[in-house]
Amino acid sequence: MYKDLDPSTLAARDAAATAPSSLDAYWMPFTASRQFKQAPRMLAKASGMHYWTPEGREILDACAGLWCVNAGHARPRIVRAIAEQAQELDFAPPFNMAHPKAFALAERLVQLTPAGLDKVFFTNSGSEAVDSALKMAVAYHRARGEGARTRLIGRERGYHGVNFGGISVGGIAGNRRTFGPMLAGVDHLRHTHDLSKNAFSRGLPQHGAELADDLERIVALHDASTIAAVIVEPVAGSTGVLLPPRGYLERLRAICDRYGILLIFDEVITGFGRLGSPFAAEHFGVTPDLMTVAKGITNGCVPMGAVFAKSAIHDVFMNGPEHLIEFPHGYTYSAHPLACAASLGTLDTYAEEGLLTRARQMEPVLADALQTLREAPHVIDLRNLGLVGAIELAPRTGEPGRRGFEALLGCWDRGVLIRTTGDTIALSPPLIVESKHIEQMVSVIGEVLKTIA
């Protein structure tokens, strides 16, 4: 259903590749740097479902790069759009100026969103989109005359990027402990992960909708008049693919409505077809007030993020003298021309190949494959929804995260790139994945688990 780049193009890439003389200068993000530099895992080229190492070894991509390459690698329409845009217009200032593709892209995007989310604010990443949405929420209440609503509510085990706003509402302890005090006035809902009731569920867990009622406790503690917004991932990805219990998101939406609290969905991972619908909001039938996206918006080719907002929120800002800036926030590279071109090419690719709904077709294939690991060593849970899955391993006593890391290394050695978070293996292959690829990645994982103590 998709076309890889031809061998001559890949060969030209090989010839153009430049090997570094040293690995010392680059300070790597979210990496065990000393271990990596002793045994580097280098990727030199990519096409379709695969990467290749500088030595020419083929690596099956079981995690869409980093949850982002939804249409597969090096797709010709996207590559062409970026190249042509670089020749036509390389940069346009986004403050008090604009370029046509920014408006064309916004118009295309809101055709995909649930009704009401029809305004788009462009950023450069998911982290920036989250901080932008949090600022919108606080500023919105202030513009309405409710300036006391400054409190932000996240959720335990939530991940919302790495800026101070995102790590403040985020709930992964390891991502927070290094950076000192977080933003003031933040609280957290309980997470939804309950292995005692929901282990080895296929699809959404049956138990736990009542966990949304934890927001009632927070409202009672702080008073609703101080709370601006609640932010959650519909499916919590980076913490290990935690699925919402049936009815949980609907219940959370109702409580927010009751107290005038904005609901923000972080769809940086779930957006653009991961669950079998364009967005998780549509999949679950729950529309937030603000929604953050990134990753799949450009197929990972050029950095870009966005916040979708309801018109009712946007319009509150559109008051006062027309020559004054209504929302004093933005980035030098907001709606960058190359990013807009990449996104338009990505949306065309999604549409031409039906990729935004393809996960519905492939979901049972992934679910069946994952269930073959139920009796594999160390496996304590299997989770899946759409084209995202998780294999949770029992942690080794005194060494949390060690088994997960050993699984990553073992799969790499056998030609499969997986994503691990602690002792959970997360799978999120490109939406072009076929049954043979799922069979390969799960088979390799099963082999590796047998080798881990």
Side-chain angles (χ1 to χ4, degrees):
M1 68 177 292
Y2 65 90
K3 295 181 180 179
D4 288 350
L5 291 184
D6 62 82
S8 62
T9 302
L10 294 174
R13 286 188 182 180
D14 286 341
T18 302
S21 59
S22 170
L23 304 183
D24 185 60
Y26 178 31
W27 190 348
M28 300 177 68
F30 271 120
T31 299
S33 300
R34 290 165 296 171
Q35 188 280 336
F36 177 91
K37 292 180 180 180
Q38 292 170 15
R41 297 174 293 279
M42 295 288 197
L43 302 170
K45 63 185 179 185
S47 184
M49 281 293 302
H50 295 88
Y51 284 104
W52 283 264
T53 69
E55 302 77 27
R57 192 163 67 92
E58 186 177 86
I59 306 292
L60 176 63
D61 184 0
C63 49
L66 196 58
W67 309 91
C68 52
V69 188
N70 289 3
H73 295 276
R75 303 307 310 276
R77 177 181 279 279
I78 305 171
V79 172
R80 185 168 59 250
I82 296 169
E84 291 175 353
Q85 184 60 49
Q87 293 179 322
E88 178 182 299
L89 177 67
D90 56 351
F91 177 78
F95 303 163
N96 285 315
M97 300 290 166
H99 61 94
K101 282 191 173 66
F103 294 92
L105 175 58
E107 187 176 12
R108 286 281 300 277
L109 288 169
V110 299
Q111 293 172 7
L112 297 174
T113 57
L117 288 172
D118 48 13
K119 302 295 181 183
V120 187
F121 188 95
F122 289 113
T123 68
N124 309 294
S125 67
S127 293
E128 290 183 359
V130 165
D131 276 31
S132 298
L134 298 177
K135 291 173 74 174
M136 282 180 188
V138 172
Y140 162 76
H141 288 297
R142 181 175 295 277
R144 293 173 59 247
E146 294 191 49
R149 286 187 181 263
T150 60
R151 192 174 300 278
L152 302 166
I153 310 301
R155 187 169 60 187
E156 295 170 351
R157 297 191 66 173
Y159 179 76
H160 301 291
V162 295
N163 292 344
F164 267 103
I167 59 175
S168 295
V169 295
I172 300 178
N175 293 347
R176 293 163 56 91
R177 69 169 60 98
T178 303
F179 303 105
M182 302 290 106
L183 293 181
V186 173
D187 209 336
H188 292 80
L189 300 165
R190 293 170 57 194
H191 66 74
T192 61
H193 193 39
D194 187 349
L195 283 180
S196 68
K197 295 180 179 178
N198 294 319
F200 298 102
S201 298
R202 285 180 66 122
L204 297 184
Q206 294 292 330
H207 304 282
E210 71 280 358
L211 291 169
D213 295 342
D214 199 37
L215 182 55
E216 295 277 12
R217 173 188 62 83
I218 291 175
V219 167
L221 176 64
H222 298 296
D223 193 278
S225 65
T226 71
I227 300 174
V230 172
I231 181 168
V232 297
E233 301 158 274
V235 173
S238 293
T239 194
V241 186
L242 307 186
L243 307 178
R246 293 186 183 277
Y248 173 87
L249 294 173
E250 295 91 331
R251 205 152 167 170
L252 195 62
R253 172 75 273 182
I255 297 171
C256 287
D257 288 343
R258 187 178 308 141
Y259 295 108
I261 299 168
L262 296 185
L263 178 60
I264 305 172
F265 277 1
D266 183 341
E267 293 223 33
V268 170
I269 284 176
T270 53
F272 300 98
R274 181 54 52 191
L275 304 184
S277 300
F279 301 100
E282 180 180 357
H283 183 86
F284 293 114
V286 179
T287 302
D289 302 295
L290 297 166
M291 186 167 74
T292 64
V293 298
K295 296 186 183 290
I297 193 172
T298 63
N299 203 46
C301 293
V302 179
M304 189 178 219
V307 181
F308 295 105
K310 287 184 174 178
S311 288
I313 293 174
H314 166 273
D315 293 350
V316 165
F317 292 92
M318 300 300 129
N319 292 299
E322 290 188 359
H323 69 284
L324 295 181
I325 294 169
E326 296 97 356
F327 184 52
H329 173 71
Y331 303 94
T332 299
Y333 302 115
S334 292
H336 191 284
L338 267 64
C340 290
S343 185
L344 288 166
T346 297
L347 296 180
D348 286 342
T349 303
Y350 290 157
E352 290 166 2
E353 300 179 11
L355 295 182
L356 293 182
T357 57
R358 190 167 189 270
R360 297 178 196 170
Q361 170 190 342
M362 300 305 296
E363 178 177 11
V365 179
L366 178 60
D368 289 344
L370 286 175
Q371 289 299 317
T372 66
L373 299 175
R374 186 165 183 148
E375 304 301 326
H378 316 302
V379 173
I380 60 174
D381 192 25
L382 299 166
R383 301 184 285 278
N384 73 278
L385 189 68
L387 271 174
V388 60
I391 304 148
E392 185 168 349
L393 309 178
R396 189 177 297 157
T397 302
E399 295 184 291
R402 171 70 71 172
R403 279 193 177 128
F405 189 66
E406 290 177 359
L408 183 148
L409 297 180
C411 288
W412 168 262
D413 290 341
R414 290 165 175 78
V416 175
L417 178 65
I418 62 171
R419 170 94 166 98
T420 59
T421 172
D423 286 301
T424 298
I425 298 168
L427 301 179
S428 58
L431 304 177
I432 60 173
V433 68
E434 298 175 3
S435 297
K436 63 180 180 181
H437 302 127
I438 292 175
E439 180 181 351
Q440 178 185 347
M441 64 182 70
V442 173
S443 175
V444 166
I445 292 168
E447 294 172 8
V448 169
L449 292 179
K450 294 176 183 177
T451 69
I452 295 175

